[in-house]
Amino acid sequence: MTRRRGGSAEPPADPEARARELCLRMLTSSPRTRAQLADALRRRDVPDEVAGRVLSRLTDVGLIDDESFARSWVESRHAGRGLARRALAAELRHRGVAADTVEDAVDSLDPGREERTARALVDRRLPATSGLDPARRMRRLVGVLARKGYPPGLCYRVVKEALADEGTDLDDLPDAAPPVD
C-alpha cells in the first residue's frame, strides 16, 4: 500500500488485494458473517468472482465461520439482552446466516434457560409496575417478554406466576393467554 500526501493510504490497485484488505479490516473490528462481508464488497464495487475467491480463502483459513458466529451471537445476545429464540433467529437471518445454521444455533439454547431468563426479566421489571392494576401489569410485563421474542404462552404463564408469587389478586385476569393482535 502506498501513502498519499497527507498520510492517507491509497487503496491497492489489485481488486483482490483491495477486497482482502477490506475484509480483514472489517473482521478486525468485530466478527462478521460471510453475507455481511459479501455485501460490503458489493457496495465497494468488487467484482463477484474476486469477492468469491477472497471470501472462500478467508473461510478456508477460519477467519469467516458462520456457525461459530451464530453460536456466539446466540450466547451473547441471550445473556446480555435476554432475547429469546425467535428474536435471535430473526437477527441471525438479517445478518445473512443460512437457515440450517440459524436453526442449529438457536437449538443450542436450552428451553429451561430461556424460561429462567424470562423469569429474571419479569422479576427485574415487576417493581416498576407495582402501582398499576393487575390487568395493566399483566399487559405491560407480557409485552416486555413478547418484544424480546418469547412465545405468548410462556410470556403469560411466567408473568401470571410472578404476580401470584408477589401476592397480587389474579381473580380478574383471564385464565388463558390473551389473543395476539
Side-chain angles (χ1 to χ4, degrees):
M1 186 181 315
T2 59
R3 296 263 176 206
R4 286 190 262 172
R5 244 191 288 172
S8 63
E10 269 183 38
D14 175 28
E16 196 159 328
R18 198 173 98 229
R20 188 173 38 256
E21 180 183 315
L22 176 64
C23 288
L24 291 174
R25 190 172 49 244
M26 289 180 70
L27 288 167
T28 299
S29 65
S30 66
R32 310 286 175 132
T33 65
R34 183 180 178 108
Q36 288 174 312
L37 294 170
D39 287 344
L41 294 174
R42 207 170 296 112
R43 284 191 307 270
R44 297 285 178 102
D45 297 323
V46 173
D48 289 343
E49 63 277 355
V50 171
R53 283 195 307 270
V54 169
L55 293 173
S56 292
R57 177 67 182 137
L58 293 174
T59 301
D60 291 345
V61 297
L63 292 176
I64 301 173
D65 184 351
D66 283 359
E67 291 83 10
S68 176
F69 176 91
R71 285 190 307 273
S72 295
W73 187 267
V74 165
E75 180 60 35
S76 171
R77 300 286 282 179
H78 180 74
R81 304 240 0 248
L83 297 181
R85 292 168 185 255
R86 187 175 63 189
L88 293 165
E91 287 186 348
L92 288 170
R93 282 191 301 273
H94 178 73
R95 281 161 180 73
V97 177
D100 57 337
T101 303
V102 169
E103 187 176 328
D104 290 345
V106 296
D107 282 348
S108 70
L109 187 58
D110 175 44
R113 180 177 175 201
E114 191 175 38
E115 184 171 333
R116 287 189 299 277
T117 301
R119 288 181 189 285
L121 288 167
V122 168
D123 290 344
R124 199 167 42 229
R125 297 292 297 265
L126 200 58
T129 66
S130 63
L132 303 173
D133 68 272
R136 181 175 249 174
R137 292 181 85 189
M138 174 68 76
R139 282 192 309 273
R140 286 209 181 158
L141 295 168
V142 165
V144 167
L145 294 179
R147 284 186 295 277
K148 293 196 177 276
Y150 289 90
L154 177 67
C155 294
Y156 188 75
R157 181 172 46 85
V158 166
V159 171
K160 191 170 183 177
E161 289 170 4
L163 290 171
D165 291 347
E166 182 189 62
T168 301
D169 181 20
L170 301 176
D171 292 336
D172 295 336
L173 296 178
D175 288 332
V180 178
D181 293 333

